[in-house]
Amino acid sequence: MDESLKQKNARLVQILVLVVIGMFGFGFALVPLYDVLCDLTGLNGKAETVAAEETPYKVDMVREINIELLTSLNEATPLIFRTETKQLKIHPGEYHTVNFYAENKTDKVVVAQAIPSFSPGVVAKYFNKVECFCFKQQTFKPGESKVMPMRFVVKPDLPKDFKTITLSYTFFDNTKASVQN
Amino acid sequence: MKKTKQLFTGLILFLSGLGTLQAAENCPSNRMEGSVCLPNGFPMEADPGRYALNLTQGQTQISHDVYNLHMLILWICVLVGLGVFSAMFYSIYHHRKSKGHVAKQFHENTLVEIIWTIIPAVILVSMAIPATKTMLEMDDVQDSDMTIKVTGWQWKWEYEYLGHDIHFFSKLSDASNQARQLNSGIDTTEVPNYLLSVDEPVVVPVNKKIRLVFTAADVLHSWWVPELGWKKDAIPGFINEAWTSVSKPGVFRGQCTELCGKDHAFMPIVVIAMEQADYDVWAKAKVEEMKQGASLADEPHDQLVKNGGEIYAKNCATCHMPDGAGIPGAFPALTNSPVVTGDIKAQANLILNGKNAMPAFGKQLQAAELAAVITYTRNALGNSKGDEIQAKEINSMLGGAAAAPQTELGNNGAAKSKSAEKPNSVKKTTAPEDKPKKADKPKLAASQADEVENVQFASDKFYPQKKVTDKPSPVTANTSKKAESADAKGEATLAELVKKGESVYQENCQSCHQPGGIGMPPVFPALKGSAVVTGKIDAQVDMMLKGKGMMPGFGKTLSADDFAAVLAFTRNKLNATGDFKQPSEIGALQ
Amino acid sequence: MSAVVAEHDKHHDHSHDDHDHGPAKGILRWIITTNHKDIGTLYLVFALVMFFVGGTMALVIRAELFEPGLQFVEPQFFNSMTTMHALVMVFGAVMPGFVGLANWMIPMMIGAPDMALPRMNNMSFWMLVAGILLLASTLFMEGGAPASGWTLYPPLVLQTGKALPFAVFSVHLLGISSIMGAINIIATIFNMRAPGMTLMRMPMFVWTWVITAFLLVAVMPVFAGAVTMLLTDKFFETSFFDAAGGGDPVLYQHIFWFFGHPEVYIMILPTFGVASTIIPVFARKPLFGYSSMVYATAAIAFLSFIVWAHHMFTVGMPIVGELYFMYATMLIAIPTAVKVFNWTATMWKGSMTLETPMLFSIAFVALFTLGGFTGLMMSIAPSDLQYHDTYFIVAHFHYTLVPASVFMLMAAGYYWLPKWTGNMYNEKVGQLHFWLSAISVNILFFPQHFLGLAGMPRRIPDYNVQFADWNMISSIGGFIFGISQLLFLYIVIDTIRGGTGIKATNEVWDGAVQYGGGGTVGLEWTLPSPPPYHTFTEAPVVVPIEYEH
C-alpha cells in the first residue's frame, strides 16, 4: 500500500469517525429537539412546566370550552389524588382556579411530581397556567393532605375546532430519587 | 349445527360460570358476560370460526371505513401483483435457455422507466385520498356524549366513567386464568372465549359518541378491540384519546397489543354495547355497587382458598410465616393451631378485632378478603377443616356497616396497596379550611371506632406503625389534664412529653415491645429495665434513629416531637431515669 | 463484448508465494488474520452458526404456539425468546452475513488487493463475537434475558433484571463492530477501486453496500445513544424516558425508529445488490436499468430517514404527523416498485437457466414483492391502526427478511461457493433445499397474515382457540423450514470438502464474466477458483462493457 493511499484512507476514516461521533451526539440532540417539536406541534400533549404571567385577555363570551380534569397515580404512588372539579365550562380568556386534593396515605415522607398531559395535544400551547402544583415536586409529610390550586386561562386564539380540552395529571413517586439527592 | 354449538357453548358457560351463578340468578336472560347480565334478546355472538382470513368489518362507521380502505388497497396490490407476477412467470416459462430462447441484450428504455415510475405514483395518490379522509374522521374526538378513562396496568385494565361514579378494574376471567397456567391440563377449547373474557366488561350505550382517554400506570400498553376499528397506546404520564360509536348491540373482544411484560397476553378487553335503556339499568346498578363497596357475593370454596392465599402472603406471612409455622416464642403457628382449627366465628372475631400483637384486620381488609383469608388458613397451611366463611357473615360481624368502599378518584386500587388505603383516625392537614368535604367522610367513619389499628408490613420486617387511641388512658389522664395540640412547638415539659409519648408508643412500638414494655422474649426485648433504655440516652436515641436488627430506624418516620415524646415515655414511664430530650435536640440529630 | 482485464494479473496469481507470505498456520490463522477472504469466511461461518441459534429460538416460539395453552415455557421466557431471536437474527446472522459477503467479494469485484483497513477488519469481527457472547450470556442471568422485544421500549425494558447493562453493552459492541465494518467498506470502495472502475461501473452489490455502509455510519451511533440513555435512566437517575422527571417514553420510540427504519434497509439493500448481481447472470442478459437501480437504492436509503414514525401510528401523534408519515412512507413504494420492475425486465426475453442461486433469486423477487405489498398496506395509517402489533406485521417483516435477506444470503452462498472453494456444490441437494425452503417458508408465514387480520396480537405465548389452526399450520411450516436448513449446512460442508468432485472453472457460471458485474465485467470470475490467498495485488485495468442495443 503506497503512502498516498494510506493518507487517503486515514483522511476518510477521520471524516467518517467524526460523522459517527456527530450522529452519536445527534441521538442525544434529539432529546431537546423533540421538546422543540413537541412545543411546535403539540406532540404527545406535553405541557409547559413554568408559570405564565397573568396577562389579561379579552374574554370571548360567545364560545364555551369544556374542560375535563383527570387525575392518575403512577404505579404504587402512595397518595390519594383527586380533583375537586372534574369538569367545568369556561370562556376563552377567562381565568379560573381549580383545586386538586392530595393526601399521603403513609406515615413516611412522600415526594411526588405531577406530570401534566393534554388531549388533544395541540391545545397545550393555548393553555396558560399561572399557578400549578405541577411546576415543582411536592413533598408530603406523613399523613399530610394538601389542597393544591391550579390557575389557568385558555387563550382566546384557540382554534374554533376545539370544544373539549382534557388535562390530566399523573403523580409519580419521586421519593427514592429525592432521598438520594 | 350452529344451534347445537350455541347450546353447547351455553352449557359450558353455565358450568364454568359457577362463580357468577349467584348473580346469574338475578339475570333474566341467564346470560352473563363476566359480571354483566346481558339483556333479554341480546344478539348472540357470532362464532369467529377457526379459519378466519380477513380483517373484521367491525361495528362502527370507522371500522367499516378502515375495512373498505383495507380491501381497496388489497385489491390494488392483487392487481399490480398479478401484472408483475404474470410477466415474471411468463418470462420464466418461455425465455429459457432450455427452450432455445436467445437472450436479447437490451438493458434500458427511458420511456418505459418513466412510465413505470409515474404509474405507481398515480396509484399512490388514489390511495392517499380515502386514507386521509378516514384519518381525519378518526381524529375528530370533539362533541362526544360520554368519556371513559382507560388506564393500562400490568396486567389489567382500569375503567373510569367520567362524571358517572363508575370505576372498576377488568382482569382476565378466572376460567381463562386457570387454563392458561403452564401445563394446567385444562382443555382450552372447553373454556368459553379463552383469553378473551374478563371479570368486569366495559359497557357502553349504542349510537353514542364515546370518547376514550388512555393512560398507563406502569409500562406501555395498547388498547385494541378489532371491531371498533383502531387501537391506541396507553402511555404512563400522558393521555391519548380516541372515539367510537357502536351501531348495534353486541359483545366485542380485544387484547392488549403493546408488549407489557410477562402477562401481556393475559389482559383482554371486553366491550359490551347495549341499547341506551339497558345501559342505564347497568349503569344504575353499577353506581349502586360502587356505593356499597366490594361485592359481598358468595364465592366458591376453592376460590376463597385461592384468593385467601394471596391475601395471606401479603398480610400474614411476614409474622406467621408463609407455611404457617409462625416464629415460636413470638408469633404462634397457624398449623394445627387451636384457634384456626376451632370455632370459625371465634377465629374470625380474633382476626377482625385483633389481640395483643395481632392487629385488628377488620378495618384493613374488605369483607371478601377477610372471608377468603380465614377460609384459607383453615384449609391450607397444613389445616384441612373443609369449612368456609362468606363475606356476608364477615360483614354482619363488622356490624353490618359496609366496609368503607374505596371509590375515590385516582385511587390506584392495586390490591397490594389496599391495606395502606384505609383511613386513619388522625391526620395532619396543612389546608384545613379548604379541606374538601369528601375527605372528612372516612375520618368520621373511622372515629366511630374506639380504636383503629393500621398495620403495614414493609419489606421483610414486621413493625406495626400506627395505632391511635382516641380514648385517653387513665394514666395519661392523671399525668396531665391539659390538652395539648399535637403540633405544639417549642419547649415541652417532661409530663407533656410522656403523655404524648404514650400514644406514640402505642402507635409505633407496642405491637412488638408490648404494652407496659414487657416485650416478647426472645424476639422482642423488654423495654422495662432494659439496658438500652436505662443506659445512656444518646445511645438509645442513636439506636432508635438508625434501627438495629429487626428494629426499624424511626429517624425518618417519626417527627421530632413524636420521637422526643416516645423517648421520654420509655425512659420515664416504663422506667425511671428522669432524663429526656427536647424535640429541638432530636430535630437537630435527624 | 470488449471487456478487458489487465494481463499482468494472471501470472501474478501463481507466483504470489514468492514474495508474499501465505496464511498463518493452524487456528492462529483465523484469530490474527487480516486477509479479507479469511475474515469474510469468519463472518459467514459466524452468521451461519447464529442463523441456527436464532432459528432454534424461533422453533421454541413456534413450538409454544403450536396449540393454545402453555405447554413448554413460561410467558417471561417466551418473551425472552422473541427478543433474543430478533436480536440474534438481526445483529448476529443477517448483518454479519452481508458483511461477510462484502469482505469476500468487494475487493475482488473492484479489483482491490484487500480491504482498505485490514487490521480494523479483524478487530470488528472479534468485537462482533464478543458482543454476541455478551448478549447470549444474559440468558443465564438472574431475571433472564431481556424480554421487552428487540425494540427495547422503556419503561418495560427497565424492568429487566441483571441483564440490562449487559444487553446495552452488547449493543454497544455490536454497534462499534458494524460501524468499523462500514467505515472499512466505504474506505475500500472509495479509495481502492482499480483504474477504470468508475462509480457507475461498479457491480450493484458494491453500490448497495456503499449506501448501506453510509446508513450504518449514520444510524448505529444513534441507537448506541438511545440504549445509553436507557442505561443512565436505569442507573444514574436521568429521566430521558421517564415522565416523572420530565422525560417521555415516546421519545425513545422516536430515537429508536430513527435508527430502526434505516436498520431495516441495512438488511435489505445488500439483498437487492445480490439479486441484481445474480439475476442477469442466469438470464444471460445485462441488468435492466442499471442507473435507475442505483438511484432507486439511494432514494430508498434517503427515504428511510424520514419515515420512522410509521412504526408509531398508535402512539397518539397529532394528525399532521400521522398524515406526513403516511405520505412519506407511501413514497417508498415507488423506488421499490422500480426495482421489482427492473428485475422482471432483466428476466424478460432472457435465456434463463434455473440453477439454485437463480431459483432463490426468483423466489426473492416474488416473495419480497408480497412483503412489499403488505408494507404498502401498512403505510396507510388508518388501516395500520388495525394491523399494528398483530401477526400481520410479523408476517410482513418476515416476508421481507426470510424469503428476502435470508434467501439471498443463501443464493449468494450457492452462487459464490464454487468460486470460494473451487468445488461445485451438489445441485440436486441444492434444488431440494430450495424447494423445501420456498414451500415451507410460505406455510410458515403466509397464514400469519390471516392470524393478524383475524385479531391475534404479536408477542403472545398463548391465544384464543379461534387462532389455533393457522398457528398449527404455521408451526408445521416452521419446523419443516428449520429442518430443511440442515441441508444447506450439509451442502456448505460437503462443498468445502470436495462436493461432487467436479472442479469449478474460473467463470463457474456461463456468462458470469460478462453479466456478473455492473458497467464492466464481473472481475471475481476472471480469477481462478478458488482464488489465491492474495488477489489483485497489482490492480487490473478495467474498461467499460459495451452491450448490443
Side-chain angles (χ1 to χ4, degrees):
Chain A
M1 220 185 280
D2 59 74
E3 278 309 305
S4 74
L5 182 61
K6 269 192 176 161
Q7 279 175 358
K8 269 168 78 182
N9 282 343
R11 239 184 105 72
L12 191 59
V13 170
Q14 277 169 9
I15 295 169
L16 290 170
V17 167
L18 283 179
V19 172
V20 168
I21 294 169
M23 288 309 290
F24 187 73
F26 176 74
F28 285 87
L30 279 172
V31 177
L33 275 176
Y34 178 72
D35 284 341
V36 172
L37 204 73
C38 287
D39 287 349
L40 288 178
T41 63
L43 201 71
N44 226 356
K46 271 202 161 188
E48 282 294 319
T49 46
V50 286
E53 290 285 314
E54 184 157 345
T55 39
Y57 289 103
K58 191 172 175 295
V59 179
D60 181 353
M61 295 305 287
V62 185
R63 286 178 74 194
E64 205 175 45
I65 308 288
N66 185 25
I67 306 282
E68 272 181 359
L69 298 166
L70 298 180
T71 52
S72 306
L73 293 167
N74 191 57
E75 289 181 326
T77 305
L79 296 175
I80 292 169
F81 179 39
R82 64 172 169 255
T83 164
E84 288 181 14
T85 317
K86 290 176 188 166
Q87 222 166 11
L88 70 161
K89 294 203 185 295
I90 57 137
H91 298 294
E94 232 172 32
Y95 278 88
H96 286 268
T97 303
V98 284
N99 284 333
F100 287 78
Y101 172 80
E103 181 186 316
N104 182 353
K105 292 189 296 190
T106 69
D107 55 0
K108 297 190 178 66
V109 172
V110 170
V111 181
Q113 171 73 50
I115 301 297
S117 176
F118 283 100
S119 199
V122 280
V123 303
K125 57 181 166 181
Y126 302 101
F127 198 100
N128 271 6
K129 288 183 237 174
V130 279
E131 191 186 351
C132 183
F133 55 96
C134 60
F135 292 153
K136 60 179 176 58
Q137 291 196 130
Q138 297 289 327
T139 304
F140 296 89
K141 292 193 204 102
E144 184 186 24
S145 63
K146 285 185 185 183
V147 172
M148 306 171 297
M150 192 272 286
R151 185 162 174 78
F152 69 95
V153 66
V154 174
K155 292 198 256 177
D157 57 347
L158 177 77
K160 296 275 179 251
D161 305 342
F162 298 111
K163 292 161 194 149
T164 300
I165 294 175
T166 307
L167 171 54
S168 141
Y169 287 100
T170 306
F171 258 119
F172 284 75
D173 191 350
N174 267 2
T175 313
K176 217 180 121 206
S178 51
V179 165
Q180 281 178 0
N181 295 340
Chain B
M1 175 62 204
K2 189 140 198 194
K3 272 221 169 113
T4 330
K5 207 166 190 177
Q6 279 172 1
L7 199 70
F8 186 61
T9 317
L11 192 70
I12 292 190
L13 202 71
F14 179 76
L15 288 173
S16 68
L18 281 174
T20 52
L21 208 56
Q22 193 73 19
E25 275 170 13
N26 305 321
C27 182
S29 70
N30 236 337
R31 288 168 59 202
M32 294 295 291
E33 179 61 46
S35 69
V36 177
C37 167
L38 299 177
N40 274 326
F42 196 79
M44 280 294 178
E45 230 178 308
D47 181 1
R50 293 181 60 155
Y51 284 100
L53 296 179
N54 203 357
L55 194 62
T56 174
Q57 296 207 26
Q59 297 296 336
T60 65
Q61 185 58 46
I62 289 282
S63 70
H64 280 98
D65 291 348
V66 168
Y67 175 79
N68 292 334
L69 205 54
H70 160 76
M71 291 313 286
L72 171 76
I73 295 164
L74 182 65
W75 284 118
I76 291 175
C77 288
V78 167
L79 286 178
V80 175
L82 277 179
V84 174
F85 291 151
S86 43
M88 210 168 102
F89 286 104
Y90 177 87
S91 165
I92 291 167
Y93 188 74
H94 290 285
H95 305 151
R96 261 194 294 159
K97 200 181 180 188
S98 56
K99 297 232 167 193
H101 197 274
V102 181
K104 296 269 188 299
Q105 293 298 307
F106 66 85
H107 58 95
E108 55 189 7
N109 184 326
T110 316
L111 182 67
V112 170
E113 289 177 61
I114 289 174
I115 290 173
W116 74 33
T117 310
I118 289 175
I119 290 178
V122 173
I123 295 175
L124 289 179
V125 172
S126 72
M127 291 177 178
I129 293 167
T132 307
K133 268 188 198 152
T134 308
M135 202 66 229
L136 289 171
E137 202 182 336
M138 275 184 171
D139 190 57
D140 180 22
V141 294
Q142 299 294 321
D143 298 315
S144 60
D145 297 307
M146 64 185 279
T147 302
I148 302 175
K149 181 186 169 204
V150 183
T151 310
W153 289 81
Q154 281 178 325
W155 293 276
K156 56 185 177 261
W157 294 98
E158 181 188 8
Y159 298 96
E160 192 181 318
Y161 290 57
L162 297 186
H164 286 89
D165 281 337
I166 298 176
H167 171 230
F168 55 86
F169 283 86
S170 179
K171 292 193 297 289
L172 183 66
S173 67
D174 287 332
S176 290
N177 195 35
Q178 280 157 24
R180 66 106 176 163
Q181 304 299 330
L182 184 61
N183 294 320
S184 65
I186 298 170
D187 181 358
T188 52
T189 57
E190 302 286 305
V191 180
N193 294 306
Y194 177 57
L195 299 184
L196 293 177
S197 54
V198 297
D199 54 353
E200 294 281 351
V202 199
V203 182
V204 296
V206 292
N207 295 319
K208 284 277 150 61
K209 186 165 184 176
I210 297 147
R211 196 168 70 109
L212 294 116
V213 179
F214 298 95
T215 189
D218 31 48
V219 300
L220 302 171
H221 300 270
S222 187
W223 197 86
W224 183 37
V225 176
E227 298 196 77
L228 302 186
W230 46 260
K231 62 178 66 73
K232 203 79 173 176
D233 288 1
I235 301 161
F238 297 91
I239 53 170
N240 262 333
E241 57 185 351
W243 69 273
T244 191
S245 176
V246 186
S247 52
K248 63 177 210 265
V251 179
F252 312 118
R253 299 170 195 281
Q255 284 177 272
C256 175
T257 43
E258 179 64 63
L259 181 61
C260 58
K262 71 182 175 72
D263 288 349
H264 164 55
F266 311 114
M267 49 182 290
I269 297 148
V270 177
V271 175
I272 304 176
M274 289 182 182
E275 296 294 349
Q276 183 70 44
D278 296 325
Y279 167 79
D280 291 341
V281 171
W282 173 83
K284 194 160 168 268
K286 202 76 190 169
V287 172
E288 280 303 307
E289 189 188 313
M290 292 289 128
K291 279 196 188 130
Q292 281 185 2
S295 159
L296 297 177
D298 283 2
E299 296 265 13
H301 183 83
D302 291 347
Q303 191 58 38
L304 280 174
V305 174
K306 186 170 168 289
N307 295 347
E310 290 168 24
I311 297 158
Y312 181 85
K314 280 180 201 130
N315 296 283
C316 322
T318 340
C319 295
H320 295 295
M321 295 289 113
D323 59 355
I327 300 177
F331 305 110
L334 299 188
T335 310
N336 299 324
S337 137
V339 175
V340 178
T341 55
D343 179 40
I344 194 162
K345 290 257 173 167
Q347 187 200 352
N349 201 38
L350 192 146
I351 291 176
L352 260 49
N353 301 315
K355 187 183 165 194
N356 298 336
M358 171 84 176
F361 280 95
K363 296 285 175 197
Q364 289 189 39
L365 298 175
Q366 294 186 345
E369 294 174 320
L370 289 163
V373 78
I374 291 167
T375 309
Y376 173 80
T377 56
R378 299 175 79 84
N379 296 285
L381 307 173
N383 300 320
S384 50
K385 286 289 287 179
D387 56 358
E388 66 193 40
I389 194 163
Q390 290 291 352
K392 278 196 196 107
E393 290 170 76
I394 299 287
N395 199 44
S396 64
M397 288 176 76
L398 285 166
Q406 290 290 311
T407 51
E408 305 234 24
L409 271 184
N411 175 351
N412 66 32
K416 60 185 168 196
S417 57
K418 249 172 197 151
S419 64
E421 281 164 18
K422 294 294 156 186
N424 300 320
S425 63
V426 170
K427 287 200 171 96
K428 293 166 199 148
T429 304
T430 49
E433 285 129 0
D434 294 325
K435 183 109 177 133
K437 278 185 184 135
K438 265 199 167 172
D440 289 336
K441 279 182 192 159
K443 281 174 83 177
L444 281 174
S447 60
Q448 283 164 356
D450 283 349
E451 209 174 61
V452 178
E453 293 189 8
N454 192 344
V455 174
Q456 284 190 332
F457 299 96
S459 67
D460 56 345
K461 287 178 187 156
F462 166 69
Y463 53 102
Q465 291 169 330
K466 200 155 267 178
K467 180 171 176 179
V468 179
T469 306
D470 285 354
K471 193 169 63 182
S473 74
V475 186
T476 46
N478 290 343
T479 318
S480 167
K481 287 196 170 116
K482 210 167 61 182
E484 284 276 340
S485 156
D487 287 336
K489 290 274 180 304
E491 294 287 285
T493 64
L494 176 60
E496 283 166 2
L497 283 173
V498 170
K499 180 207 161 238
K500 185 166 178 237
E502 171 147 27
S503 65
V504 179
Y505 180 82
Q506 286 171 344
E507 202 178 316
N508 294 285
C509 322
Q510 184 163 293
S511 308
C512 294
H513 294 296
Q514 295 298 297
I518 56 170
M520 288 197 284
V523 182
F524 299 117
L527 301 186
K528 214 179 175 97
S530 140
V532 175
V533 181
T534 55
K536 276 199 172 145
I537 189 161
D538 286 336
Q540 189 193 351
V541 169
D542 189 56
M543 190 193 144
M544 284 169 65
L545 281 171
K546 291 177 185 148
K548 185 184 162 194
M550 282 177 88
M551 166 87 177
F554 285 96
K556 292 214 169 65
T557 51
L558 286 183
S559 67
D561 287 341
D562 288 350
F563 197 101
V566 78
L567 179 71
F569 175 79
T570 55
R571 294 183 80 84
N572 297 292
K573 190 75 201 171
L574 303 177
N575 297 294
T577 57
D579 56 357
F580 64 102
K581 278 199 182 280
Q582 283 294 343
S584 51
E585 294 172 78
I586 299 295
L589 287 169
Q590 281 176 327
Chain C
M1 176 197 156
S2 59
V4 171
V5 180
E7 299 77 29
H8 46 248
D9 186 49
K10 289 190 175 128
H11 66 86
H12 170 74
D13 291 336
H14 301 282
S15 57
H16 66 273
D17 278 344
D18 301 343
H19 59 88
D20 217 347
H21 57 84
K25 295 278 174 279
I27 191 84
L28 200 62
R29 162 180 174 181
W30 299 103
I31 293 167
I32 60 165
T33 184
T34 57
N35 180 285
H36 74 102
K37 298 183 184 74
D38 283 354
I39 293 175
T41 305
L42 284 173
Y43 266 110
L44 289 169
V45 169
F46 182 77
L48 190 60
V49 171
M50 284 301 127
F51 176 66
F52 282 102
V53 171
T56 309
M57 292 173 177
L59 292 185
V60 172
I61 294 167
R62 280 320 320 171
E64 184 53 67
L65 291 171
F66 187 74
E67 55 182 10
L70 291 180
Q71 292 83 25
F72 302 107
V73 294
E74 288 288 354
Q76 182 72 13
F77 185 73
F78 181 90
N79 291 344
S80 288
M81 281 293 105
T82 55
T83 307
M84 295 294 277
H85 162 70
L87 290 171
V88 166
M89 284 302 201
V90 170
F91 294 103
V94 175
M95 286 168 67
F98 283 116
V99 176
L101 288 181
N103 264 296
W104 248 106
M105 302 320 300
I106 287 176
M108 282 161 63
M109 284 176 156
I110 61 171
D114 204 310
M115 296 296 279
L117 310 156
R119 274 183 292 272
M120 192 158 96
N121 207 9
N122 174 289
M123 199 155 81
S124 69
F125 173 75
W126 288 109
M127 273 184 132
L128 166 74
V129 177
I132 290 286
L133 286 178
L134 197 57
L135 186 66
S137 71
T138 62
L139 275 169
F140 308 99
M141 285 178 187
E142 196 184 319
S148 56
W150 80 286
T151 53
L152 309 174
Y153 279 179
L156 181 62
V157 73
L158 302 178
Q159 295 181 351
T160 308
K162 293 263 192 304
L164 183 70
F166 295 91
V168 167
F169 288 132
S170 137
V171 167
H172 283 154
L173 281 175
L174 297 173
I176 295 169
S177 159
S178 305
I179 289 167
M180 292 200 305
I183 290 176
N184 205 351
I185 286 167
I186 293 171
T188 307
I189 295 172
F190 276 23
N191 294 345
M192 308 270 290
R193 276 172 289 129
M197 179 61 78
T198 60
L199 286 176
M200 289 310 276
R201 286 181 200 157
M202 293 195 307
M204 274 311 293
F205 179 71
V206 181
W207 253 117
T208 53
W209 242 117
V210 75
I211 292 170
T212 303
F214 276 109
L215 288 182
L216 276 169
V217 166
V219 301
M220 286 309 295
V222 177
F223 187 36
V227 294
T228 307
M229 289 183 231
L230 286 178
L231 199 69
T232 60
D233 266 14
K234 172 89 176 180
F235 296 104
F236 302 103
E237 304 293 336
T238 60
S239 35
F240 290 106
F241 310 129
D242 182 6
D248 184 347
V250 176
L251 169 63
Y252 175 85
Q253 300 186 22
H254 282 286
I255 303 177
F256 178 85
W257 287 112
F258 184 84
F259 146 81
H261 201 73
E263 168 68 24
V264 174
Y265 292 147
I266 286 164
M267 291 188 280
I268 203 69
L269 292 184
T271 309
F272 292 167
V274 175
S276 302
T277 307
I278 292 178
I279 292 173
V281 170
F282 292 90
R284 291 169 184 78
K285 218 173 138 265
L287 179 68
F288 187 89
Y290 172 87
S291 45
S292 70
M293 282 299 223
V294 172
Y295 299 137
T297 309
I300 292 174
F302 169 74
L303 287 172
S304 76
F305 283 105
I306 58 166
V307 297
W308 74 89
H310 68 219
H311 295 268
M312 307 162 51
F313 280 140
T314 61
V315 297
M317 277 183 284
I319 185 80
V320 281
E322 303 253 345
L323 291 176
Y324 161 73
F325 283 109
M326 174 169 87
Y327 300 146
T329 306
M330 290 169 82
L331 286 181
I332 299 174
I334 297 173
T336 315
V338 166
K339 285 195 154 276
V340 173
F341 295 151
N342 281 347
W343 288 319
T344 312
T346 306
M347 290 184 226
W348 189 257
K349 297 214 186 277
S351 177
M352 269 184 262
T353 49
L354 300 178
E355 287 91 346
T356 314
M358 184 59 168
L359 286 173
F360 272 107
S361 303
I362 290 170
F364 153 72
V365 177
L367 298 178
F368 175 76
T369 306
L370 216 84
F373 282 144
T374 50
L376 179 62
M377 293 171 79
M378 285 157 21
S379 73
I380 308 297
S383 316
D384 184 63
L385 297 188
Q386 286 281 45
Y387 310 142
H388 181 79
D389 266 348
T390 67
Y391 258 80
F392 193 73
I393 306 292
V394 176
H396 159 74
F397 69 73
H398 278 102
Y399 261 95
T400 59
L401 284 172
V402 182
S405 299
V406 172
F407 270 26
M408 288 322 286
L409 277 168
M410 288 176 175
Y414 285 108
Y415 181 61
W416 281 308
L417 255 181
K419 169 58 65 186
W420 296 333
T421 62
N423 304 316
M424 283 308 286
Y425 63 87
N426 187 329
E427 182 65 34
K428 276 211 177 98
V429 185
Q431 301 246 347
L432 178 68
H433 171 229
F434 167 76
W435 286 109
L436 279 172
S437 301
I439 293 168
S440 61
V441 86
N442 283 294
I443 301 174
L444 166 57
F445 295 119
F446 206 81
Q448 296 184 357
H449 291 114
F450 306 141
L451 286 171
L453 292 175
M456 180 168 160
R458 67 192 282 203
R459 292 167 170 161
I460 57 172
D462 195 3
Y463 47 82
N464 182 268
V465 288
Q466 63 170 303
F467 308 122
D469 299 308
W470 285 130
N471 265 305
M472 190 177 281
I473 292 167
S474 178
S475 289
I476 291 169
F479 279 97
I480 299 174
F481 183 79
I483 292 164
S484 310
Q485 301 321 308
L486 295 173
L487 283 176
F488 185 69
L489 186 66
Y490 163 76
I491 288 171
V492 171
I493 295 170
D494 180 58
T495 310
I496 292 169
R497 302 173 72 182
T500 49
I502 304 167
K503 288 290 161 196
T505 59
N506 286 7
E507 191 175 18
V508 182
W509 310 105
D510 171 30
V513 171
Q514 193 177 0
Y515 304 111
T520 182
V521 297
L523 279 185
E524 76 265 34
W525 306 108
T526 64
L527 295 168
S529 304
Y533 198 57
H534 295 282
T535 45
F536 294 131
T537 40
E538 278 174 67
V541 177
V542 287
V543 293
I545 200 164
E546 297 292 334
Y547 297 108
E548 307 152 23
H549 283 276

